[in-house]
Amino acid sequence: MAKKILVIEDDKFLRKVIKRKFLGEGYDLIEAIDGEKGIIAARDEQPDIILLDLVLPEINGFEVLTRLKKDPQTSKIPIIILSNLGEEENVKKGLELGAADYLIKANLDPSEIFERVENILKK
Amino acid sequence: MVIEKQKKDKISILLNDLDSLQSYINDIFTFAPLPLCFIGPSGVILEANPAFIKFCGFTFDEIIGKAIEDFFKKKEIEKIIKETKKKGSVEGKETDFFSRTEKEIPCQVFARPRKDESNNILGYFLSIVDLTEIKRNQREARAALINILEDIQEERDKAEEEKNKTLAIVTNFADGILVFDKTNSLLLINPKAEQFLEVKAEDIVLKPILKLSKISSLASLVKILRKKTKEVSREELEAKENLILEVSILPVLRGKEKIGSLVILHDVTREKLIEKMKSEFVSLAAHQLRTPLSTIKWIMRMILDEELGIINKEQREFLEDGYESNERMIYLINDLLNVTRIEEGRFLYELTPTDIKEIIESTIDSFKSEAKRRKIKIEFRKPKEKIVKIILDSGKIKIALNNLIDNAVRYNVSKGRVIITLRQIGKEIEVSIKDSGMGIPKNQQSRVFTKFFRGVNVMRTDTGGSGLGLYIAKNIIEAHGGKIWFDSELNKGTTFYFKLPIKNKKIIWQKKY
């Protein structure tokens, strides 16, 4: 069965590239353009993994992460932060809040992101 | 008869004695250094000794027969004579003497009447003591005393004025000031410090530091004060909400002895706010810039990886150039972010015991494809024995190494070499990165570690660098208590060295706020 990935990302171009990459790799992909929609999608769709942006309209990624980790329905789903906020404070905060990995968009290629997702799913 | 003779002899002896006495008195009269004279009942001078003659400036002949009142104020001498007559003597009456040449010579007059057997006054003996010298000495002594007193008063006024000035400065100073004595009792607090700390001077002055710590607004300040009082130190203190103070503690010294400490509280709230805003701005700007660059990077990479279809050789070449330019932009943003954080003083982050060999190896690994493309051989010369782990921020050391190796690869010749050597020398780890590149011109060597420096020879062949890499590397190494340097020869190559202490006491921790 195909693995299901939820991408919470407000930038449509980035979303488009990620979508193309993961569909090409045989994944099922759900998109959410803000935090609120992301939380609903996570609950309803029960994805295998979530790619979460931090700078989002309305509620930010840290809050989305906190809420998903608190909710027993979604707390087990591994979440990878995929953001361009690169400060160490942010990385530390994300990992402390329970993110499985923290990826900085500009420093990675799509295939590297894909590899990191696969790595988490293998665990 | 015999009795008569005896009487006669006795009288003769007595007369003889009287003669001797007379001449004795005459001698005294003549040679006494004190001016003496004898005046008749009407005040005419009948006799005067040489001292008197000298004193009044006339000759003996001129004096005899002269009225005594010519030498004094009339009223005064009349009074002296009258008093002598009445009381039998005048002892040291002060008055003025008028000599031939000088008026009003201050003097003391002693007077005694001379009487006959039936107590009739025959005249008066006067002696005069010249007080000029004594008076002058007295005057001088008094003037000197007055001068001294005036000087003292002046000094006192000056000191008072200085004290008032100092107090006015302290009172009106824009910074808070506290002064503690040797035993750490509070001596002085100015109004600004009272305002900052929300205390009243009368409640806390002369109280020892330990008691002050019980006042809640002072507790955190006291903590800083107790920690270090031996040398000048500076620390930030969040005194209350919206008030960040920079606390400077300076020892007050007399000679070499410490007699107290001076504490200055400077309000840095505004600076901190601006710093924070700047940092947030840079961080947000970096984020906003990175997002479109990420899109470009990802799209080009997917096309280059032929995930969207086959591309021809020319298309690949152009796309690779585009990808590389985009990468430079991303690096530049990373560099700018790092520089901002260096300048904010919050650069080192997580310090953990680290095997530097592993960091070097992984950094070299990340240059594999670039080195291959430029046909450059990277060699790592590491010691056979195990290198001790050192406490460092591995992410930052990796950035420093990355910048140094990147330069060595980028500014090398085709088929060149990069040799990285790791050694332990005593209590230090030394890493060197040697290239066979174009070298740094001698006249530019002093500027190598400055911000935005780029070698003139490098700029002709490569436009990609930001000029920030070595500045960042230097800051990273120095923040770890290390040292960085280089030697370089034009067209032969450059070797960069850095040293890190194994036991690191000098690490500059990031400032927290």
Side-chain angles (χ1 to χ4, degrees):
Chain A
M1 209 177 97
K3 283 165 193 153
K4 200 192 277 182
I5 186 164
L6 166 63
V7 180
I8 308 172
E9 167 65 64
D10 63 329
D11 188 278
K12 66 175 176 183
F13 297 130
L14 286 175
R15 236 173 26 237
K16 192 172 161 189
V17 186
I18 296 169
K19 190 176 174 184
R20 179 65 180 78
K21 177 70 192 171
F22 280 87
L23 290 178
E25 297 288 348
Y27 274 60
D28 277 346
L29 186 132
I30 312 137
E31 300 167 65
I33 59 164
D34 64 42
E36 217 51 80
K37 291 192 179 77
I39 292 168
I40 295 165
R43 220 180 283 141
D44 294 350
E45 299 282 343
Q46 291 292 312
D48 296 298
I49 195 160
I50 299 168
L51 277 181
L52 172 65
D53 189 17
L54 287 178
V55 182
L56 291 167
E58 312 294 337
I59 55 169
N60 71 36
F62 288 124
E63 203 183 325
V64 174
L65 177 59
T66 312
R67 278 165 61 178
L68 288 174
K69 283 293 158 194
K70 254 192 199 161
D71 186 343
Q73 286 187 69
T74 52
S75 64
K76 298 259 161 52
I77 305 170
I79 299 168
I80 295 178
I81 291 173
L82 180 61
S83 171
N84 264 326
L85 286 182
E87 271 89 347
E88 285 140 322
E89 295 94 293
N90 296 322
V91 178
K92 198 177 176 198
K93 189 175 171 187
L95 296 176
E96 274 170 5
L97 288 173
D101 205 347
Y102 192 114
L103 310 181
I104 295 164
K105 290 171 188 168
N107 294 351
L108 297 168
D109 284 326
S111 49
E112 287 169 317
I113 296 166
F114 174 72
E115 269 169 39
R116 304 283 275 263
V117 168
E118 288 273 276
N119 276 342
I120 297 295
L121 284 175
K122 264 183 219 157
K123 277 181 190 169
Chain B
M1 263 322 264
V2 175
I3 292 164
E4 276 295 307
K5 192 178 182 293
Q6 274 177 340
K7 258 186 193 169
K8 250 185 189 172
D9 284 352
K10 210 170 185 178
I11 288 167
S12 145
I13 289 165
L14 280 170
L15 279 172
N16 221 3
D17 279 356
L18 202 64
D19 272 354
S20 308
L21 194 64
Q22 182 84 41
S23 67
Y24 181 61
I25 289 167
N26 275 342
D27 284 351
I28 290 176
F29 190 74
T30 310
F31 300 113
L34 216 59
L36 298 168
C37 70
F38 178 66
I39 57 171
S42 59
V44 174
I45 300 172
L46 301 174
E47 197 68 61
N49 76 341
F52 187 89
I53 293 160
K54 197 181 166 203
F55 185 52
C56 67
F58 292 95
T59 61
F60 181 76
D61 292 340
E62 284 168 336
I63 283 171
I64 302 304
K66 215 172 165 59
I68 192 71
E69 60 183 53
D70 290 353
F71 297 100
F72 294 94
K73 280 179 188 151
K74 202 180 166 201
K75 270 191 184 161
E76 299 240 326
I77 194 70
E78 276 173 358
K79 212 171 147 191
I80 289 168
I81 302 291
K82 208 172 150 191
E83 213 178 300
T84 312
K85 216 189 222 173
K86 197 175 157 195
K87 290 188 180 165
S89 74
V90 160
E91 307 280 343
K93 170 87 184 160
E94 277 193 30
T95 183
D96 292 318
F97 187 84
F98 294 78
S99 77
R100 183 177 201 168
T101 50
E102 258 180 278
K103 288 196 166 154
E104 299 187 23
I105 302 167
C107 66
Q108 263 183 327
V109 177
F110 294 79
R112 248 183 242 303
R114 189 181 164 196
K115 296 173 181 172
D116 64 8
E117 307 85 51
S118 42
N119 231 6
N120 295 318
I121 289 175
L122 296 174
Y124 304 91
F125 283 111
L126 294 184
S127 72
I128 295 154
V129 178
D130 182 359
L131 293 180
T132 314
E133 197 75 5
I134 294 167
K135 288 278 177 195
R136 194 172 58 230
N137 287 345
Q138 268 179 2
R139 251 196 330 269
E140 278 173 7
R142 188 182 294 140
L145 195 66
I146 286 169
N147 280 345
I148 290 167
L149 287 174
E150 276 175 356
D151 285 353
I152 289 172
Q153 189 60 36
E154 206 174 300
E155 285 304 315
R156 193 182 286 162
D157 289 351
K158 242 190 239 168
E160 187 71 15
E161 199 182 315
E162 282 305 316
K163 193 184 143 199
N164 288 342
K165 245 192 246 170
T166 312
L167 208 63
I169 291 170
V170 169
T171 307
N172 299 308
F173 208 60
D175 285 346
I177 295 175
L178 295 109
V179 181
F180 290 89
D181 71 6
K182 185 156 62 169
T183 63
N184 268 338
S185 276
L186 180 65
L187 291 180
L188 184 149
I189 177 167
N190 77 340
K192 198 74 195 177
E194 288 179 274
Q195 186 200 326
F196 282 155
L197 301 170
E198 294 179 321
V199 288
K200 276 191 178 153
E202 59 259 37
D203 297 338
I204 56 169
V205 164
L206 292 177
K207 293 225 169 112
I209 202 163
L210 271 174
K211 282 202 174 156
L212 297 182
S213 66
K214 284 171 190 146
I215 301 167
S216 64
S217 57
L218 288 176
S220 39
L221 176 66
V222 169
K223 223 186 211 173
I224 295 176
L225 290 175
R226 291 189 65 197
K227 219 168 20 178
K228 24 186 152 160
T229 46
K230 284 207 173 123
E231 45 194 50
V232 179
S233 64
R234 233 169 232 134
E235 211 161 307
E236 260 163 40
L237 169 72
E238 194 159 352
K240 56 187 171 197
E241 222 186 319
N242 292 327
L243 180 64
I244 301 165
L245 298 173
E246 187 188 70
V247 183
S248 308
I249 306 164
L250 302 98
V252 180
L253 301 171
R254 186 188 288 146
K256 276 183 184 167
E257 189 202 0
K258 190 186 157 191
I259 55 164
S261 12
L262 172 68
V263 179
I264 296 169
L265 309 175
H266 181 61
D267 185 354
V268 291
T269 316
R270 212 178 115 77
E271 284 96 318
K272 287 289 143 197
L273 187 71
I274 292 169
E275 216 171 83
K276 199 170 163 231
M277 277 162 64
K278 184 188 153 203
S279 143
E280 278 169 6
F281 169 77
V282 170
S283 154
L284 199 72
H287 176 265
Q288 299 296 73
L289 285 167
R290 273 168 166 172
T291 300
L293 293 173
S294 305
T295 317
I296 298 166
K297 176 184 169 108
W298 290 3
I299 290 170
M300 287 210 262
R301 179 45 63 197
M302 282 181 77
I303 297 171
L304 277 166
D305 288 351
E306 299 189 328
E307 290 187 41
L308 306 172
I310 309 257
I311 52 169
N312 67 33
K313 204 182 160 198
E314 196 184 15
Q315 287 167 336
R316 170 172 300 279
E317 207 178 292
F318 274 93
L319 274 168
E320 264 168 2
D321 289 350
Y323 184 83
E324 204 192 314
S325 297
N326 193 57
E327 285 294 274
R328 272 186 206 160
M329 197 69 181
I330 291 168
Y331 292 149
L332 178 63
I333 291 164
N334 289 346
D335 282 353
L336 284 172
L337 258 179
N338 283 333
V339 166
T340 309
R341 310 198 104 214
I342 285 168
E343 286 170 358
E344 281 168 3
R346 45 181 200 134
F347 196 48
L348 290 193
Y349 192 66
E350 238 165 27
L351 295 155
T352 42
T354 312
D355 184 349
I356 193 158
K357 197 152 77 180
E358 283 174 13
I359 302 185
I360 297 173
E361 277 166 346
S362 82
T363 314
I364 293 173
D365 265 359
S366 66
F367 280 96
K368 258 187 187 157
S369 58
E370 182 68 19
K372 204 175 163 188
R373 203 169 67 80
R374 292 176 186 255
K375 298 191 176 81
I376 283 160
K377 203 182 154 212
I378 302 180
E379 190 186 325
F380 181 27
R381 292 181 184 167
K382 53 195 170 187
K384 280 178 197 132
E385 67 275 17
K386 224 178 148 189
I387 290 262
V388 287
K389 285 188 173 182
I390 47 182
I391 296 200
L392 42 83
D393 179 335
S394 59
K396 296 295 155 29
I397 291 292
K398 202 166 174 178
I399 291 174
L401 268 167
N402 182 80
N403 293 352
L404 294 169
I405 297 173
D406 187 62
N407 282 350
V409 171
R410 190 192 289 263
Y411 306 126
N412 217 316
V413 289
S414 185
K415 293 183 187 166
R417 277 156 70 95
V418 174
I419 301 164
I420 297 151
T421 312
L422 169 67
R423 292 192 295 169
Q424 184 174 337
I425 305 170
K427 289 174 179 172
E428 289 171 315
I429 300 278
E430 189 189 277
V431 179
S432 64
I433 299 105
K434 183 182 166 73
D435 67 45
S436 53
M438 50 186 82
I440 304 160
K442 265 242 146 43
N443 61 350
Q444 286 198 300
Q445 290 190 356
S446 62
R447 287 169 46 222
V448 161
F449 292 110
T450 57
K451 238 193 294 182
F452 299 112
F453 167 80
R454 301 206 64 218
V456 279
N457 50 343
V458 158
M459 268 149 67
R460 268 181 238 126
T461 56
D462 182 292
T463 50
S466 67
L468 294 169
L470 290 175
Y471 172 78
I472 291 169
K474 181 176 192 271
N475 275 279
I476 291 170
I477 300 302
E478 287 178 356
H480 283 87
K483 208 183 137 205
I484 186 166
W485 72 100
F486 68 94
D487 28 74
S488 181
E489 205 175 323
L490 214 55
N491 300 322
K492 285 211 170 156
T494 304
T495 309
F496 274 91
Y497 303 86
F498 68 83
K499 263 186 193 168
L500 293 171
I502 290 169
K503 279 202 176 147
N504 202 341
K505 284 178 193 160
K506 277 197 224 152
I507 281 192
I508 301 158
W509 294 84
Q510 66 166 348
K511 275 197 251 167
K512 281 182 186 152
Y513 55 84

